[in-house]
Amino acid sequence: MRYHNITKDDMLNGVGLRVVLWVAGCSHACPGCHNPITWDAAGGILFDAAARDELFAELDKDYVAGVTLSGGDPLFPGNREAIGTLCREIRERFPGKTIWLYTGYRWEEIAELSLLSCVDVLVDGRFMQAQADPQLHWRGSANQRLIDVPATLQQHKIVLIDE
């Protein structure tokens, strides 16, 4: 897996102060995307042990609420295995931290992915410029959903988070 940036002390991509991993690779090519530089799966730099250590050093801080995985698309097919491994490792090592994941895929397309059992909140759906709304919290367009993943998995139906 490749990535473009690790943002520290972020308050825009989930609840609380967070660390954000911006991965490379996205095939959705949403018009109006705020981060098209991340579309190229060969772009950015290799997510190696040093990058993992940098991410974990941030998560080790008491005041950091969790990690947000964005991009690009963490669920771009070429990222799924590495993201799954990373999510499982974060969940095991930092059980009190939340994991948010942004994807252009709809829940219905990816619900079978085992890595979702490690995710707390999934922001799903492609960015749609015609439905863009800067007043929305944690999502760019009204079609995107904030999904409570543990509740959704438990109830076998999509459970949305109220803003």
Side-chain angles (χ1 to χ4, degrees):
M1 177 176 72
R2 300 181 71 79
Y3 77 106
H4 281 269
N5 192 25
I6 296 173
T7 304
K8 299 166 183 146
D9 300 332
D10 179 276
M11 297 187 326
L12 301 175
N13 295 285
V15 174
L17 204 58
R18 312 188 67 73
V19 58
V20 182
L21 176 64
W22 302 92
V23 301
C26 183
S27 57
H28 303 300
C30 301
C33 172
H34 75 280
N35 217 1
I37 194 168
T38 64
W39 294 355
D40 182 3
I45 55 177
L46 183 65
F47 186 78
D48 58 9
R52 182 188 152 283
D53 291 347
E54 180 182 350
L55 185 72
F56 285 10
E58 289 303 305
L59 284 169
D60 208 26
K61 296 176 180 175
D62 290 343
Y63 61 85
V64 173
V67 64
T68 298
L69 306 170
S70 193
D73 193 330
L75 298 184
F76 177 75
N79 291 337
R80 290 180 183 184
E81 184 177 340
I83 287 293
T85 299
L86 182 62
C87 285
R88 285 185 283 278
E89 191 171 4
I90 290 168
R91 178 62 64 221
E92 183 178 311
R93 187 164 170 187
F94 304 99
K97 307 288 181 166
T98 58
I99 299 174
W100 283 51
L101 192 148
Y102 283 76
T103 184
Y105 295 98
R106 299 287 285 179
W107 174 266
E108 295 81 0
E109 298 173 281
I110 53 149
E112 79 289 345
L113 294 177
S114 64
L115 71 86
L116 292 174
S117 66
C118 296
V119 174
D120 296 292
V121 177
L122 182 81
V123 182
D124 81 335
R126 295 178 181 184
F127 172 76
M128 297 182 76
Q129 199 165 19
Q131 294 186 39
D133 183 349
Q135 301 303 314
L136 295 171
H137 289 108
W138 308 303
R139 54 198 175 120
S141 57
N143 64 295
Q144 295 172 311
R145 300 177 291 186
L146 298 169
I147 298 174
D148 180 328
V149 176
T152 295
L153 293 173
Q154 182 180 41
Q155 296 179 31
H156 304 287
K157 67 176 186 174
I158 295 174
V159 177
L160 300 178
I161 296 171
D162 294 327
E163 290 183 46

